[in-house]
Amino acid sequence: MSTLEKDALTALVFKDWKPTERDKPIEHPFIKMNAEGKDKEQMKLRPLQVLKLNDSRAVLLLAAEPVIAGHSTPGVLSAYWFKRTGDSWSLDKRQEEVAMLGIFGHFADTSLHELWPGHFALAVYSNQAGGGQESQSLSLYKIDEQGVSSMVKDDALLLDMSTEGTQGCDERMQQVPGKKMRKRFNDLETQPVQCYDLKTKWSIKKGEAAPGDLLLESSARIFSNKEIGQDADRDGESYINYEFTAQARHDKQVFRYDAAKGGYQLDGRKNLLPDW
């Protein structure tokens, strides 16, 4: 094959897959979501990125997404290496299960970032949702001719998290940080919950011969409450009094790549959100 177009490479690896039939599942010949199962999984294939490492090597990054998937079912990140002979590219190596990411068999966007000249990382974003809470995490993978490997301890880094979808939080989160207010609730009213919103921007500084620093810039808005007393009206109906506090937190942290450990060490990251 003379092209490095991602659809063409995918069709070269998987003979039953066609770009015009992206929603048609195929039996993936290698990946088994259940290691003890004997049946092949029905997958939908989603070509993500093609990275040309040099004049003779390239890698296709692919998402394999199970057709039968529940909330906790991840998608599969795979990688396929190609070598060039003359004007033709041919499949040379497979890495069928780089990682399992996301929910309902799917993970979100991906992007490529140059670590140092000729060396790259793949960023994969995974979303989670449930119970009124939404979050997004980042996984980073170093790509070279030896393979694709995680650059982050525990494989993922929390970027964003919000409880805006939780009952009562949408109104509470309009409170101005630094201000306090009080409110009474009777037994028939929904009692207040703790609410928060975390946003993080990230970047990697391009190095000269190794990955540069990983920078995280986070901002959190926290809307907490505490019970400050109880009382009753003249009809004897009881009330609980709460004090509501809104605060803003900011943090900037730099993590350095440890070649001996093969990744960024995130043990010291400060959690801006309280452990309620």
Side-chain angles (χ1 to χ4, degrees), residues 8-243:
L9 293 181
T10 302
L12 179 63
V13 178
F14 302 94
K15 305 302 182 184
D16 296 332
W17 186 85
K18 295 180 176 61
T20 56
E21 300 177 352
R22 289 178 178 270
D23 290 332
K24 180 181 177 180
I26 70 168
E27 283 193 354
H28 197 291
F30 295 100
I31 296 173
K32 291 182 179 179
M33 300 299 291
N34 180 357
E36 297 179 357
K38 296 181 180 180
D39 297 331
K40 297 173 182 177
E41 286 287 334
Q42 288 282 313
M43 299 279 192
K44 292 181 181 179
L45 303 184
R46 182 164 56 99
L48 300 172
Q49 306 275 354
V50 174
L51 175 62
K52 188 176 180 181
L53 298 170
N54 51 52
D55 288 339
S56 61
R57 299 285 285 172
V59 61
L60 165 69
L61 299 158
L62 179 81
E65 301 173 336
V67 174
I68 301 175
H71 185 275
S72 60
T73 305
V76 183
L77 173 65
S78 304
Y80 303 88
W81 279 259
F82 296 82
K83 65 178 180 180
R84 182 176 181 176
T85 304
D87 293 331
S88 179
W89 292 91
S90 59
L91 181 63
D92 182 52
K93 186 173 69 170
R94 303 169 182 263
Q95 193 173 349
E96 299 291 347
E97 296 183 26
V98 174
M100 294 187 176
L101 304 160
I103 57 175
F104 292 108
H106 179 81
F107 50 86
D109 296 335
T110 63
S111 57
L112 289 170
H113 302 264
E114 191 169 23
L115 298 173
W116 74 96
H119 296 262
F120 294 84
L122 175 74
V124 181
Y125 301 90
S126 299
N127 298 325
Q128 295 278 354
Q133 178 175 283
E134 296 183 354
S135 65
Q136 183 179 77
S137 59
L138 168 71
S139 299
L140 280 175
Y141 300 94
K142 184 162 65 73
I143 305 171
D144 55 35
E145 292 191 39
Q146 285 68 50
V148 181
S149 57
S150 177
M151 301 181 71
V152 178
K153 183 179 179 181
D154 299 327
D155 296 330
L157 176 66
L158 178 65
L159 293 181
D160 304 336
M161 181 175 284
S162 176
T163 60
E164 190 169 4
T166 302
Q167 184 178 2
C169 281
D170 53 346
E171 178 183 357
R172 288 282 324 287
M173 292 168 73
Q174 304 304 313
Q175 186 177 347
V176 177
K179 300 292 185 178
K180 292 186 177 183
M181 64 180 186
R182 295 185 177 185
K183 191 173 181 180
R184 333 165 55 215
F185 291 81
N186 63 28
D187 293 337
L188 299 179
E189 294 178 298
T190 301
Q191 301 302 303
V193 297
Q194 313 287 8
C195 309
Y196 53 81
D197 180 60
L198 172 71
K199 299 291 184 186
T200 302
K201 295 181 179 180
W202 73 277
S203 61
I204 296 179
K205 184 179 179 181
K206 186 176 176 179
E208 295 182 359
D213 292 343
L214 171 64
L215 175 64
L216 303 174
E217 296 181 273
S218 301
S219 297
R221 296 182 303 144
I222 301 168
F223 305 88
S224 59
N225 61 76
K226 65 179 180 179
E227 182 180 334
I228 57 174
Q230 299 183 16
D231 58 33
D233 61 17
R234 285 183 292 182
D235 296 327
E237 185 173 1
S238 61
Y239 286 83
I240 302 175
N241 298 298
Y242 288 91
E243 181 179 77

